[in-house]
Amino acid sequence: MSVRIAVGAQWGDEGKGKIIDLLSSGADLVVRYQGGANAGHTVKINDKKFILHMIPSGVLNKKTVSAIGNGVVFDYESFINELTVLNNEGIDTEERLFLSPYAHVVMPYHKEIDRAFEKVRKNKIGTTFKGIGPAYQDKISRCGIRVVDILDDDYFVSVLKNNIEMKNLTFESMYGEKNKFSFDEIYKDCLDKFSIIRKYVKDVSLIIDEYLKQNKSILFEGAQGTLLDIDHGTYPYVTSSNTTSGGVCTGTGVSPTKINSVIGVMKAYTTRVGNGPFVSELFDDTGKYLSEKGHEVGATTGRPRRCGYFDALIARYSVRINGISSLALTKIDVLGGLDKIKVCVGYKYNDQILREFLPVSNVLEKCEPVYEELEGWKEDISEIRNYNELPENVKKYIGYIEKVSPVEIVSVGPERNQSIYK
Ligand code: IMP
């Protein structure tokens, strides 16, 4: 029995979709534990490309059951859109996709508030406008609407009315706009949609417990990445959930003593979407090269991702915070063609050299990268399937990263089969 967590080790977009798809072939149950439709997991199977925002990527594996845990903020619009795509592709979801009754629901006003709030704040986060922050805000403020609440119409009506009243007051005082949100409109719009959702609702903590009792394998699927974690990330330029492995227990109702291992999904270089510090960011031709060759465009927002060299401080930090036991190293093929490859090994901050990452944006913004340089390679490695056949300099690069944690999987392209098990 294996109970593992797959977590993004940088700022998200590490290629978790593909790795989770691979790992889920050995898992009986795949569970998402945080985030919402801000995630964009891209999985390529043969000539088909799936981008999933809400439904766990594990659903693409026909033998695997998937579940959305209570720690997720549930976007019913995205969920229904993805259900339609999956069902049209012949992927059945009945009795193999479940939703926790205790997940909070992202309502239309959360998305509007996300947009409005971002407009007025000085230090813009660059959110995905999927209503993530406002939905988690309601959860913490104890006025959120959970999936279980939408199943009880009387209760739902009373909470929704009260919420809309409160949102309208806030909107009016902040933006001078009266009666921004209408109960009738929102209620009418969501009723039909909720009827589709009803049959997927089941206690996810109990499902996990059943699988554990039967010694079955479980994979917890992280969204975003370690440095976007609300506690351990580059605050305030983070998302509003615990993206790190610690989020699994609170976000699904599994006990920490049941988890055996954590696989960190780490890109062979670094990217970031949205604002915030990024010490090894490149503004030169190499940055452009990585961006173009790596097709570095956000799966959810279509925004170009900022690109930079691999940062060993981030890697070490991520291994420590998540308890990463092995790595899936992705997109290493993208580095091919560079003469030299730099790796960030320290941050110059005033007259000091920092060797440990610290989640303090205003310090990181003043840091300069300190690099070590490795030899590059010219070969196209995307067709190699055997570790021993990789060029020597690729192995040296992987060996360098292994100083931080052992590499279990090397991904050399977006397809399922472009993977090397080390
Ligand atoms: P939010 O999660 O939409 O509130 O956005 C907060 C920050 O997290 C922004 O910088 C987003 O660009 C970033 N972000 C959110 N989801 C993802 C993701 O799946 N990949 C990469 N960045 C993300």
Side-chain angles (χ1 to χ4, degrees), residues 11-13 16 37-41 114 125-134 223-225 228 236-240 272-276 300-301 303 305:
W11 274 293
D13 306 316
K16 286 184 298 298
N38 50 349
H41 290 168
D114 197 356
I125 309 289
T127 78
T128 58
F129 299 135
K130 297 290 178 186
I132 306 300
Q224 291 84 46
L228 289 174
Y237 305 100
V238 291
T239 191
S240 300
R272 170 163 211 176
V273 227
N275 300 334
T300 302
T301 57
R303 289 179 292 178
R305 297 177 186 141

Side-chain angles (χ1 to χ4, degrees), residues 42-300:
T42 308
V43 185
K44 259 193 108 187
I45 305 170
N46 304 324
D47 57 341
K48 294 233 164 72
K49 184 167 155 184
F50 295 90
I51 301 181
L52 296 170
H53 300 284
M54 197 65 247
I55 296 181
S57 325
V59 78
L60 298 172
N61 233 298
K62 292 191 174 160
K63 285 186 285 183
T64 312
V65 167
S66 293
I68 299 172
N70 59 280
V72 169
V73 281
F74 178 68
D75 186 319
Y76 57 89
E77 302 272 1
S78 288
F79 183 83
I80 291 169
N81 289 341
E82 287 167 29
L83 270 186
T84 312
V85 172
L86 291 170
N87 294 343
N88 288 346
E89 288 296 334
I91 297 169
D92 191 19
T93 44
E94 285 211 24
E95 288 305 313
R96 52 181 298 268
L97 174 62
F98 299 104
L99 165 66
S100 168
Y102 313 121
H104 279 249
V105 182
V106 177
M107 299 300 293
Y109 45 78
H110 290 135
K111 295 180 189 175
E112 297 262 4
I113 294 168
D114 197 356
R115 215 168 263 281
F117 200 69
E118 184 78 350
K119 215 184 266 173
V120 293
R121 66 180 294 160
K122 272 208 185 105
N123 53 350
K124 299 201 186 305
I125 309 289
T127 78
T128 58
F129 299 135
K130 297 290 178 186
I132 306 300
Y136 278 115
Q137 225 172 320
D138 280 3
K139 172 176 175 171
I140 301 300
S141 304
R142 293 155 297 178
C143 64
I145 296 175
R146 300 189 296 174
V147 170
V148 66
D149 304 331
I150 64 179
L151 304 180
D152 174 345
D153 197 53
D154 289 344
Y155 184 71
F156 176 55
V157 167
S158 78
V159 195
L160 182 63
K161 273 192 178 152
N162 192 217
N163 264 290
I164 287 177
E165 245 168 68
M166 290 193 287
K167 306 300 170 203
N168 278 341
L169 281 176
T170 315
F171 232 84
E172 190 178 341
S173 69
M174 278 182 83
Y175 309 103
E177 221 178 308
K178 271 196 171 170
N179 298 324
K180 169 82 181 161
F181 306 110
S182 139
F183 169 81
D184 290 342
E185 250 174 54
I186 294 178
Y187 182 65
K188 194 166 149 255
D189 179 67
C190 56
L191 267 197
D192 284 350
K193 293 174 181 156
F194 289 169
S195 66
I196 303 174
I197 288 155
R198 197 170 274 271
K199 63 179 174 220
Y200 294 98
V201 180
K202 196 167 174 181
D203 190 320
V204 171
S205 172
L206 280 176
I207 299 176
I208 294 171
D209 198 48
E210 262 169 47
Y211 275 70
L212 288 172
K213 283 182 180 145
Q214 294 170 31
N215 278 333
K216 289 188 171 172
S217 293
I218 306 176
L219 176 68
F220 293 98
E221 168 178 340
Q224 291 84 46
T226 299
L227 297 184
L228 289 174
D229 184 283
I230 185 80
D231 287 290
H232 302 292
T234 46
Y235 194 89
Y237 305 100
V238 291
T239 191
S240 300
S241 63
N242 284 116
T243 58
T244 47
S245 58
V248 168
C249 297
T250 53
T252 66
V254 70
S255 144
T257 56
K258 304 289 185 212
I259 292 157
N260 314 134
S261 66
V262 181
I263 185 165
V265 186
M266 199 173 274
K267 208 180 268 191
Y269 49 99
T270 314
T271 60
R272 170 163 211 176
V273 227
N275 300 334
F278 180 174
V279 179
S280 66
E281 184 169 9
L282 288 166
F283 301 95
D284 59 3
D285 286 347
T286 308
K288 230 186 263 166
Y289 181 82
L290 296 176
S291 164
E292 278 164 21
K293 194 167 173 203
H295 307 290
E296 294 297 353
V297 176
T300 302

